[in-house]
Amino acid sequence: MFSPTALRPRYAKWLIATGLFLMLSGCVDKPNTLERVKEDGVLRVVTRNSPATYFQDRSGETGFEYELVKRFADDLGVELKIETADNLDDLFNQVGKPNGPVLAAAGLVSSEQRKKQVRFSRSYLEVTPQVIYRNGQSRPTDAGDLVGKKIMVLKGSTHAEQLAELKQKYPGIQYEESDAVEVVDLLRMVDEGQIDLTLVDSNEVAMNQVYFTNIRVAFDLGDARSQSWAVAAGEDNSLLNEINSYLDKVQKNGTLQRLKDRYYGHVDVLGYMGATTFAQHLQQRLPKYEQHFKTYAKKEKVDWRLLAAIGYQESLWQPAVTSKTGVRGLMMLTQNTAQAMGVSNRLDPKQSIMGGAKYLAYMKDQLDESIQEPDRTWFALAAYNVGSGHLDDARKLAAKEGLNPDKWLDVKKILPRLSQKQWYSKTRYGYARGGEPVHFVANIRRYYDILTWVTQPQLEGDQVAEGNLHVPGIDKSKPAQEPAPL
């Protein structure tokens, strides 16, 4: 047996060793937020599913905030993981949660209330809150004119805070806050007359005004404000400092301005160009590419006139165009689509038409066998425009509504709902500009009908054949094999 006195030296040594271990352990700092991001190899970001922030189109993930934060993740050398919040309150609550997003990039404006929850980066975009009304209605000119109007804004937004302040001066102002809508929904509701007014930031008005022809800006409600990113509250400045350095860099090297120009500097307008303009392009442009359309349409077993109609809708038969979203060439192929279809140069009209023909055939092949012609063609065109994922979402919503998911007439009624939060929040692929594929298909059908007419060999009489829409460069011989009726 060991006596107590024999144990004391050993016990003392153990206490000293333990104490030294604890002291040394205490000297090792825990990794800060930036270090953890780099160690994990992942930047977790929370945002909103909306056209001004983050959504998916046929090019993949896109949106102003997505593009900006993706470049930040690339700079850090880490993977970007995006999460979307159901509403603004949820977004702020998620920032800084254990194993949750460390950054919110969602077009956020700083306010005293929000500063209690998060810390904001330097500004990267100046926006102005604007009062939106419907054309044809009495135009409000100041805050007093908001009294007696039906107003709705996003729940938890700075616009709601503005209205709360105004209500103190004008008690008659009544408004509703909703977390079941997004900005696009609010603009649509004004456009359709469901509400009288809403408040939206100027950048989102500019981006969406072309889709809502009845909305107008009544007046600016206050001065311009800064949009920033947000990180968790606390004393850890590591990530915030890195963000500010990055935003300074993209401001100086022009990246930020290019993104602003791409998303807010101009707006694509989808629309029918008119019979006269189309006739001019038939004579001046189509003959240069007609044989390519015929060659690759025959190879992929599609109607060359349909392929030509797609080319006209996409680029007006111009081989060197590039859209704001980066799709290029006569058939406006994305980089990923071009690579998948074996196109090495999207600006080569022959390659572009080849890629477009293969992609259209591929889209048709991917559709369920239950979809028959002519609907199969319209579905393939819609998928060509918006992507097969969003099309599947619309078909599932149609089925839930008791409509036929295999009929274009039914599904085209549902597609525009993909831009409404109450609907896209229930889908797998989320927000889409669902009205665009509907217009896309309708326009192509118009162009196709004209092309079909001017290429028919059995036109009755020379007067019809030599009219304004006939082009000598178009081969009028009957196709070797007539396609299924469309």
Side-chain angles (χ1 to χ4, degrees):
M1 293 183 63
F2 292 100
S3 67
T5 50
L7 286 173
R8 281 185 194 132
R10 296 183 185 179
Y11 183 63
K13 290 179 181 179
W14 179 83
L15 285 176
I16 292 171
T18 302
L20 287 171
F21 173 77
L22 292 173
M23 288 173 63
L24 290 173
S25 297
C27 293
V28 178
D29 293 331
K30 293 181 179 179
N32 60 39
T33 304
L34 181 60
E35 290 169 342
R36 289 202 309 272
V37 168
K38 292 184 175 181
E39 287 174 3
D40 294 343
V42 176
L43 178 68
R44 291 176 172 82
V45 176
V46 63
T47 188
R48 296 156 51 208
N49 190 190
S50 76
T53 51
Y54 165 80
F55 65 98
Q56 295 188 32
D57 65 6
R58 61 174 168 165
S59 303
E61 295 178 303
T62 189
F64 178 85
E65 294 286 351
Y66 172 79
E67 295 269 9
L68 194 58
V69 80
K70 179 65 168 65
R71 286 168 169 78
F72 179 52
D74 291 343
D75 268 16
L76 295 177
V78 299
E79 177 188 357
L80 175 63
K81 284 197 175 180
I82 292 286
E83 299 177 19
T84 56
D86 291 334
N87 52 65
L88 287 168
D89 289 340
D90 181 42
L91 181 144
F92 285 109
N93 289 333
Q94 286 190 44
V95 178
K97 278 190 172 182
N99 301 317
V102 296
L103 166 63
L108 304 174
V109 173
S110 172
S111 71
E112 292 306 313
Q113 181 63 34
R114 289 178 173 180
K115 287 179 180 177
K116 297 175 183 178
Q117 297 176 274
V118 295
R119 290 173 298 156
F120 288 92
S121 72
R122 59 149 289 178
S123 169
Y124 55 84
L125 186 67
E126 293 291 313
V127 298
T128 304
Q130 297 180 319
V131 175
I132 308 301
Y133 77 109
R134 190 174 191 270
N135 187 36
Q137 302 300 309
S138 176
R139 177 183 178 181
T141 58
D142 58 37
D145 291 340
L146 305 185
V147 175
K149 301 294 185 180
K150 186 176 181 180
I151 305 171
M152 182 182 289
V153 293
L154 296 185
K155 186 177 184 296
S157 65
T158 52
H159 303 128
E161 294 180 17
Q162 283 183 286
L163 288 174
E165 291 178 8
L166 284 176
K167 190 173 175 63
Q168 296 178 12
K169 183 176 180 181
Y170 303 99
I173 291 179
Q174 301 293 326
Y175 62 94
E176 179 183 353
E177 295 183 57
S178 176
D179 60 4
V181 297
E182 255 294 346
V183 168
V184 176
D185 300 296
L186 295 174
L187 294 174
R188 174 181 54 80
M189 293 170 77
V190 173
D191 184 80
E192 296 175 355
Q194 297 180 38
I195 58 176
D196 297 323
L197 306 170
T198 189
L199 269 67
V200 175
D201 284 332
S202 53
N203 62 317
E204 299 200 83
V205 177
M207 172 175 280
N208 290 291
Q209 191 159 18
V210 67
Y211 303 107
F212 304 106
T213 56
N214 292 317
I215 66 170
R216 297 290 186 275
V217 176
F219 61 92
D220 294 346
L221 189 62
D223 298 327
R225 304 181 300 176
S226 299
Q227 287 190 348
S228 307
W229 288 348
V231 300
E235 298 181 357
D236 183 350
N237 293 317
S238 58
L239 182 61
L240 188 60
N241 290 340
E242 193 75 12
I243 288 170
N244 286 333
S245 295
Y246 163 74
L247 293 175
D248 281 334
K249 183 181 75 172
V250 294
Q251 174 74 48
K252 292 174 182 176
N253 66 20
T255 299
L256 186 57
Q257 187 58 49
R258 285 193 293 272
L259 285 176
K260 290 177 183 178
D261 290 342
R262 174 176 167 184
Y263 283 95
Y264 304 125
H266 59 280
V267 180
D268 285 339
V269 179
L270 299 178
Y272 188 52
M273 294 296 295
T276 302
T277 303
F278 186 65
Q280 292 173 348
H281 291 165
L282 276 171
Q283 184 155 3
Q284 297 167 2
R285 298 178 182 177
L286 181 59
K288 302 175 187 177
Y289 313 113
E290 179 183 347
Q291 192 55 51
H292 296 327
F293 283 120
K294 289 181 175 179
T295 297
Y296 292 109
K298 182 178 181 180
K299 185 174 182 180
E300 299 300 332
K301 299 181 180 179
V302 297
D303 189 333
W304 80 267
R305 296 164 298 187
L306 183 69
L307 192 62
I310 297 173
Y312 188 73
Q313 169 65 20
E314 291 284 46
S315 69
L316 306 183
W317 295 323
Q318 299 175 101
V321 292
T322 300
S323 85
K324 67 177 184 180
T325 58
V327 291
R328 308 185 75 188
L330 195 146
M331 301 301 285
M332 297 301 272
L333 303 175
T334 67
Q335 183 65 54
N336 290 340
T337 298
Q339 291 177 352
M341 298 299 115
V343 174
S344 59
N345 181 3
R346 288 182 288 169
L347 299 184
D348 179 339
K350 182 177 179 180
Q351 288 193 44
S352 183
I353 292 169
M354 178 270 290
K358 290 177 70 174
Y359 190 53
L360 178 63
Y362 172 78
M363 283 299 174
K364 290 186 77 170
D365 289 341
Q366 295 301 303
L367 294 171
D368 291 348
E369 293 181 359
S370 57
I371 303 173
Q372 302 299 312
E373 291 291 4
D375 298 277
R376 194 172 188 85
T377 293
W378 311 141
F379 278 108
L381 289 174
Y384 188 105
N385 175 260
V386 78
S388 56
H390 290 305
L391 181 63
D392 286 342
D393 283 345
R395 292 184 64 220
K396 290 173 183 175
L397 288 176
K400 290 179 180 178
E401 291 294 296
L403 300 175
N404 189 336
D406 297 336
K407 293 295 183 182
W408 175 246
L409 284 176
D410 283 354
V411 174
K412 78 173 187 177
K413 298 175 185 175
I414 300 297
L415 271 164
R417 294 186 182 182
L418 296 182
S419 66
Q420 302 173 31
K421 186 175 182 180
Q422 69 178 102
W423 296 103
Y424 72 66
S425 60
K426 302 174 183 177
T427 66
R428 178 178 178 182
Y429 293 96
Y431 173 88
R433 287 176 175 150
E436 284 190 6
V438 176
H439 291 300
F440 183 82
V441 173
N443 289 347
I444 288 172
R445 291 180 71 166
R446 285 174 177 169
Y447 303 142
Y448 174 81
D449 287 343
I450 296 172
L451 282 167
T452 301
W453 178 62
V454 301
T455 58
Q456 290 299 320
Q458 66 270 27
L459 292 174
E460 297 179 1
D462 291 339
Q463 184 177 2
V464 175
E466 301 303 324
N468 287 336
L469 286 177
H470 175 66
V471 180
I474 294 180
D475 184 358
K476 291 182 285 183
S477 61
K478 188 174 182 179
Q481 181 177 0
E482 283 292 319
L486 297 175

